[in-house]
Amino acid sequence: MGKVVIVTPISVSFVVPVYSGQKYLRSLVAEIETLGAQWSASNAPFEVREICLVDDNAIDGSGELIDTLAAENPLVRAFHLSRNFGQHPATMAGIIRSTGDWIVTLDEDLQHPPSSVNDLFRKVAERGSDIVYANAESAVHQSLIRDLGSRGYKAFVERASGNPNIRMFNSFRLLRGEIARAAAAACGHDTYFDMALSWFTQRVDIVSMRLKDERFIQGKVSGYRFSKLVSHARRMIMSAGAKPLRLAGFFGVLFSVAALVGGAALVLVHFIFPSAVEAKGWTSLILAIVLFGGLTMMLIAVVLEFLSVLVLRAHGKPLFFLIDRSSDEAIKRYFSNPEKVAKAQVRLPTQRV
């Protein structure tokens, strides 16, 4: 008799931070269930393990609705934060309590379609990714200032930090569970979660898709006020690393060397061509200022880089991390069969509305 091989499904947890999602949560849960039914119908290696709804001290009736959904649906797990901590902490709270092999984080308001998770998994099959971000093909917030400001600031931090993944950052992500939970546990008070994820892996990819912020379409006010956006930006730069400081140190060394070379040239001119120096004292004064300014810049950069190392250590940046990617073979086999994947794209009737 042949050996019977029992294949364990790859479990997927969905984590949703909730602030004002009363109008959307039932539809969101139903769409995730539909995706799970599609996976089952196509013999996909995935299963929906749980839907973690994290109440971030919601301003509408979302908190009570989360408890109702959890009582009605065994897939739904309800979590309530003691006060409003913000989207990233709420997401991390759900991630830490999740149990899936993979984690999907998405917003409450249906701008992130669960049906697109297959596209994210396809990227894992192609490239062995640990993190896959969804990228909006067009403006998401329907606000030119906010969209351009977000893109511009991310581009600035990307150049300053040398982290090529920053412009990918999006709250619609597919994360390998081990990495997501380790990053969430490592985060300190001011750590930017996506920066922490980049400490654990460089296998980060992106998938472009159509995303729209339903809050702006329906006139709903965003939970991100200007002060929160500024705090968001500050945490990102604080978690970015020390590359800007190293650049400042490099210029400090460059100025010091230039001043020393200029000083040596000035001494030679003074002894060989004394008549060439018309205004004595000014050149040496400028060279002295450049020299000591460069040395000061270099020493400050060294001190600040040392402090940045302490800050990143306080934020939880690890020395190393071990990962198991053995289940990726099942994902590759599934997406190598076009018929199965096509069957999974057929929309099944929603189980709950």
Side-chain angles (χ1 to χ4, degrees), residues 167-207:
R167 271 182 281 191
M168 300 182 189
F169 290 173
N170 193 307
S171 55
F172 189 14
R173 346 167 168 81
L174 173 65
L175 308 169
R176 200 178 293 273
E178 295 172 84
I179 289 175
R181 283 184 283 271
C187 283
H189 177 70
D190 274 336
T191 309
Y192 195 86
F193 178 56
D194 291 287
M195 285 291 192
L197 288 170
S198 68
W199 297 341
F200 289 84
T201 182
Q202 295 179 340
R203 294 193 182 189
V204 181
D205 282 295
I206 191 169
V207 174

Side-chain angles (χ1 to χ4, degrees), residues 74-103:
L75 288 177
V76 176
R77 299 179 65 194
F79 301 101
H80 300 274
L81 297 182
S82 59
R83 64 172 178 82
N84 176 251
F85 286 89
Q87 183 184 27
H88 275 217
T91 301
M92 288 186 283
I95 286 173
I96 288 176
R97 299 299 295 272
S98 69
T99 60
D101 300 318
W102 288 86
I103 298 171

Side-chain angles (χ1 to χ4, degrees), residues 32-48:
I32 294 174
E33 286 190 289
T34 297
L35 175 64
Q38 291 170 349
W39 283 342
S40 178
S42 62
N43 293 320
F46 314 112
E47 69 171 5
V48 177

Side-chain angles (χ1 to χ4, degrees), residues 143 145-146 149-150 153 216 221-235:
S143 170
I145 295 176
R146 182 170 173 184
S150 175
Y153 184 75
F216 288 90
V221 178
S222 170
Y224 273 107
R225 304 295 184 184
F226 180 74
S227 59
K228 286 191 176 182
L229 291 173
V230 171
S231 177
H232 212 52
R234 179 183 60 81
R235 289 199 304 273

